[in-house]
Amino acid sequence: MISGTGLTIATAEVDRQALRHNFQMIQALAPDQAALAIIKAHAYGHGLLEVAKTLEDLAYGFGVSRLSEAIVLRDAGIEKPILLLEGVYSIDELFTVSVDQLSIVIHCEQQISDIEQANLPHPIDVWIKLDTGMHRLGFIEEQQAQAYQRLTKSLNVRQPVNIISHFSRADEEDGVPTAQQLAKFSAFTKNKPGLKSIAASAGILKWPQSYYQMIRPGIILYGISPIDGINGETFGLQPAMTLKSCLIAVRQHKKGEPIGYGATWLSERDTCIGVVAFGYGDGYPRSACSGTPIMVNGRQVPLVGRVSMDMICIDLGPNATDKIGDEVILWGKQLPIERVASYSGLSAYELITRLTSRIKYNYIN
């Protein structure tokens, strides 16, 4: 709120019912599989703890990236399984993992050595990561058998060892690379006990043969499509976030006059310009170009000029009756974030996770 004015600015409204709808729709695609809700990066900008509480009764468990995220969940009383998708980076962190009964991904030789040398109060649930084609983290084919055997023999590892990998191109039309990854994963995991998981959001939507025992829905939990050119609503998903602010000025603007830094936009007519209390300091992309759609009073209007740190300008039109305090929607149910992303040169993943600490969160339903 702006003190003394009653204006609501820079607010992310998160719909808990939409989150639950999306999870239930995803689970219906894979009714026999455990579903690990991925809530890393502040739950893709939606709020780590609030999203966990919203889905706690539905999800098998939660996937995070860093130990600090897992500790927040445990300290808040979340008892479901929590998987650290990058594992941990020291023996000291392994001790915390053991005490808090977390699960970890093991993706390199150093992590195996650490777990073999550690003095732990309890064995740890472990997922060995296979590099089947992403070539980012994980054991390559020549290392996989030995790494797996070492983990099966370690007294610090709760048996059986689980197996995980990650698709690199499951969102693409060309299915050959994904089929190759799936074949490698299937060959290694055949007749091995434990849980297996390779399907994240795109795999869940496009590759049902990849479900195995556990799926890992990420961005689709939040109603956003992982596939370029397709909105989440196409798959029956509901946007969980509506990003809002308001008009803090409405100004008359003459034909031929520029606006904003660098004079990158000139008006082709006399018009009204609205100034919105939202900018790249809040997480809106500075790269968003003139013409990026924004919603005001139920209609779509274009962003004009460069995005500033605290403000953006929009062309309300010559006959506008909008006024200071009117609500502005940057993305949400009325305006898919995938559409906004297409004007910015960024992915929806980046847009949703770059919101800053200036944003106020409001959880509804």
Side-chain angles (χ1 to χ4, degrees):
M1 306 287 285
I2 301 178
S3 179
T5 67
L7 304 187
T8 300
I9 64 172
T11 299
E13 184 178 271
V14 179
D15 187 339
R16 296 179 189 274
Q17 192 57 48
L19 287 168
R20 293 178 66 82
H21 164 86
N22 295 336
F23 187 94
Q24 290 166 332
M25 194 215 78
I26 294 161
Q27 189 71 85
L29 293 175
D32 300 321
Q33 283 73 27
L36 190 80
I38 305 303
I39 57 173
K40 60 183 180 177
H42 200 47
Y44 290 64
H46 291 70
L48 176 73
L49 191 52
E50 293 296 336
V51 171
K53 290 179 177 178
T54 300
L55 300 178
E56 186 176 12
D57 64 317
L58 298 176
Y60 163 79
F62 299 102
V64 298
S65 179
R66 308 286 163 79
L67 180 60
S68 58
E69 296 171 316
I71 290 172
V72 168
L73 297 177
R74 284 290 187 253
D75 286 350
I78 301 295
E79 297 179 351
K80 288 289 185 74
I82 299 172
L83 176 61
L84 277 66
L85 296 166
E86 293 178 7
V88 293
Y89 317 114
S90 71
I91 291 179
D92 288 343
E93 290 185 334
L94 277 174
F95 187 85
T96 302
V97 166
S98 178
V99 170
D100 283 351
Q101 299 183 51
L102 306 173
S103 303
I104 58 171
V105 166
I106 297 288
H107 58 75
C108 65
E109 159 69 24
Q110 183 62 54
Q111 290 178 324
I112 294 181
S113 296
D114 285 347
I115 203 167
E116 287 173 335
Q117 296 170 30
N119 182 17
L120 303 178
H122 312 288
I124 294 173
D125 283 315
V126 162
W127 292 74
I128 183 173
K129 184 156 194 175
L130 310 182
D131 178 5
T132 57
M134 174 70 87
H135 304 318
R136 186 178 61 182
L137 292 177
F139 295 96
I140 61 175
E141 289 184 63
E142 294 79 3
Q143 302 168 330
Q144 290 168 5
Q146 183 184 32
Y148 181 81
Q149 287 301 318
R150 286 174 66 183
L151 291 172
T152 62
K153 294 176 182 178
S154 173
L155 296 179
N156 281 331
V157 173
R158 181 176 290 120
Q159 301 300 324
V161 175
N162 305 301
I163 308 173
I164 192 169
S165 191
H166 196 63
F167 288 133
S168 62
R169 299 172 63 180
D171 58 323
E172 298 179 6
E173 285 299 316
D174 180 4
V176 172
T178 302
Q180 291 172 341
Q181 283 193 257
L182 197 55
K184 291 177 181 180
F185 188 76
S186 179
F188 184 85
T189 59
K190 186 177 181 180
N191 297 326
K192 289 185 174 66
L195 298 175
K196 293 100 176 175
S197 179
I198 192 172
S201 289
I204 293 167
L205 294 178
K206 298 187 67 173
W207 292 84
Q209 63 269 50
S210 72
Y211 290 170
Y212 289 91
Q213 288 81 39
M214 191 174 81
I215 57 172
R216 310 190 309 270
I219 201 165
I220 55 177
L221 278 178
Y222 310 98
I224 302 170
S225 170
I227 301 168
D228 287 344
I230 302 178
N231 294 340
E233 293 177 348
T234 302
F235 301 106
L237 302 169
Q238 296 178 3
M241 177 189 290
T242 299
L243 190 63
K244 304 178 177 182
S245 193
C246 69
L247 294 174
I248 58 170
V250 177
R251 301 167 49 85
Q252 297 297 315
H253 192 81
K254 294 182 179 180
K255 178 180 179 180
E257 290 289 340
I259 198 164
Y261 290 113
T264 60
W265 179 82
L266 300 176
S267 179
E268 297 179 350
R269 59 184 178 177
D270 289 346
T271 190
C272 293
I273 294 295
V275 182
V276 183
F278 211 99
Y280 62 78
D282 303 288
Y284 199 82
R286 189 177 185 274
S287 59
C289 62
S290 293
T292 301
I294 291 172
M295 298 295 296
V296 179
N297 289 320
R299 74 186 193 283
Q300 181 180 298
V301 298
L303 180 152
V304 292
R306 286 184 182 166
V307 174
S308 301
M309 182 180 292
D310 310 303
M311 292 172 281
I312 54 179
C313 294
I314 53 180
D315 184 359
L316 297 172
N319 301 314
T321 59
D322 310 287
K323 58 187 182 302
I324 291 174
D326 283 356
E327 184 177 82
V328 175
I329 294 176
L330 288 307
W331 63 64
K333 289 183 171 63
Q334 299 178 45
L335 179 61
I337 189 173
E338 297 94 335
R339 186 151 180 252
V340 177
S342 70
Y343 284 83
S344 69
L346 304 175
S347 72
Y349 288 85
E350 186 171 350
L351 285 191
I352 206 71
T353 58
R354 66 189 294 158
L355 299 179
T356 72
S357 59
R358 298 204 308 194
I359 301 295
K360 174 188 174 183
Y361 282 79
N362 179 32
Y363 294 90
I364 65 173
N365 293 331

